[in-house]
Amino acid sequence: MAKTDNGIRICQGLLILGNVVIGMCGIALTAECIFFVSDPHGLYPLLEATENNDIYAAAWIGIFVGFALLALSILGIVGVMKSSKTLLLVYIILMLITYAFEMASCITAATHRDFLTPNLFLKQMLERYMKSDTDNNNDKQMTEGVTKTWDNLMLQNQCCGVHGPLDWQEYTSAFRMTHNDADYPWPHNCCVMNTRSEPINLDGCKLGVPGFYNSNGCYDAISGPLNRQAWGVAWFGFAILCWTFCVLLGTMFYWSRIAY
């Protein structure tokens, strides 16, 4: 088939368009994953303490894949315009490698979403919040991170515990070991605060008087952002994979019809 044939020109145009879309998707994927790993909601210490932060690993892979897709889309456009078998062969091989990385990122983000259960965060909160005795520096850093994160969560979201204030009453916790029940039935951050971040009525909060303490749990404030970001990384990645698969097939067909 001659390179000047109309069919070849149409194929070239479609492949160039396909690679332009891939490049734009690569930029968007990189931006999305950078937003995720920047931890805008301050929840990373909770995942780190679970010793399973693979969702963040998936986002880091997504950043690499985004840059790779942008670079390869440019290579693909140049290879198509020049009808170079060598450039297109390099493009196909590298794109297949990138495709495998992005597939791993998507699967990791999608599957580990189910790992974020209320009991996971409840167990972690009870064991690490304001824990006084730590085993080593790493344990101390994780404990401090969990404590700080929970303090911020309860203040910013007007919530208490995972399911509610009764978490601090019904279960044994590191917090209870160092705080007596009369003065601290739950952390003071569970109290309704004034504009100066002080309890509006500490005694009412201690007694559990409605209106003076936050009765709702914090699980939605944790799982909501993490699930949204995990689904974003996973399903946007799957959409990119579907589009890239079609472009790859077209490129392979075009490569096979180029004359030496």
Side-chain angles (χ1 to χ4, degrees), residues 5-219:
D5 185 81
N6 287 337
I8 283 291
R9 294 302 180 190
I10 293 173
C11 186
Q12 284 179 319
L14 291 174
L15 290 177
I16 290 173
L17 174 62
N19 278 290
V20 168
V21 174
I22 288 176
M24 294 172 63
C25 288
I27 295 173
L29 179 64
T30 298
E32 179 187 29
C33 291
I34 288 176
F35 176 78
F36 190 3
V37 299
S38 68
D39 193 23
H41 301 282
L43 298 174
Y44 179 75
L46 299 185
L47 286 182
E48 182 184 31
T50 65
E51 299 181 353
N52 191 335
N53 54 358
D54 289 349
I55 290 180
Y56 277 84
W60 279 109
I61 295 174
I63 294 174
F64 157 75
V65 169
F67 281 118
L69 289 176
L70 176 61
L72 289 176
S73 66
I74 296 172
L75 176 63
I77 291 171
V78 173
V80 170
M81 292 179 68
K82 290 187 175 183
S83 296
S84 169
K85 283 202 113 176
T86 301
L87 285 179
L88 288 178
L89 182 59
V90 172
Y91 167 84
I92 291 170
I93 293 173
L94 293 180
M95 188 62 84
L96 287 172
I97 295 173
T98 304
Y99 194 94
F101 273 100
E102 179 57 13
M103 186 175 293
S105 173
C106 294
I107 293 173
T108 300
T111 55
H112 279 75
R113 173 181 173 273
D114 298 329
F115 175 72
L116 308 175
T117 63
N119 286 338
L120 171 73
F121 294 110
L122 176 63
K123 181 175 182 291
Q124 178 196 87
M125 179 190 75
L126 296 174
E127 291 179 350
R128 291 191 178 275
Y129 183 78
M130 290 195 175
K131 179 182 177 182
S132 57
D133 298 325
T134 53
D135 299 330
N136 49 54
N137 287 335
N138 185 54
D139 187 44
K140 181 180 179 181
Q141 290 176 356
M142 284 189 180
T143 297
E144 291 175 348
V146 168
T147 300
K148 182 179 179 181
T149 301
W150 270 106
D151 284 339
N152 291 334
L153 272 173
M154 292 188 287
L155 281 175
Q156 294 173 6
N157 297 281
Q158 292 82 50
C159 57
C160 183
V162 175
H163 302 104
L166 290 181
D167 287 345
W168 305 101
Q169 294 289 312
E170 295 178 347
Y171 303 99
T172 302
S173 64
F175 173 77
R176 182 59 57 228
M177 299 295 182
T178 55
H179 297 77
N180 66 74
D181 187 64
D183 292 331
Y184 292 88
W186 36 71
H188 286 177
N189 284 355
C190 291
C191 300
V192 175
M193 302 292 184
N194 58 25
T195 54
R196 293 177 296 178
S197 297
E198 298 173 347
I200 60 174
N201 189 318
L202 184 56
D203 290 333
C205 176
K206 292 178 183 178
L207 294 172
V209 178
F212 295 129
Y213 76 108
N214 299 308
S215 59
N216 56 302
C218 298
Y219 178 67

Side-chain angles (χ1 to χ4, degrees), residues 210-255:
F212 295 129
Y213 76 108
N214 299 308
S215 59
N216 56 302
C218 298
Y219 178 67
D220 289 342
I222 299 171
S223 64
L226 290 177
N227 283 335
R228 287 194 299 270
Q229 292 168 4
W231 276 117
V233 172
W235 291 109
F236 182 49
F238 280 128
I240 293 174
L241 289 176
C242 292
W243 180 266
T244 303
F245 179 76
C246 296
V247 175
L248 266 176
L249 286 181
T251 304
M252 291 175 184
F253 171 77
Y254 179 66
W255 177 83

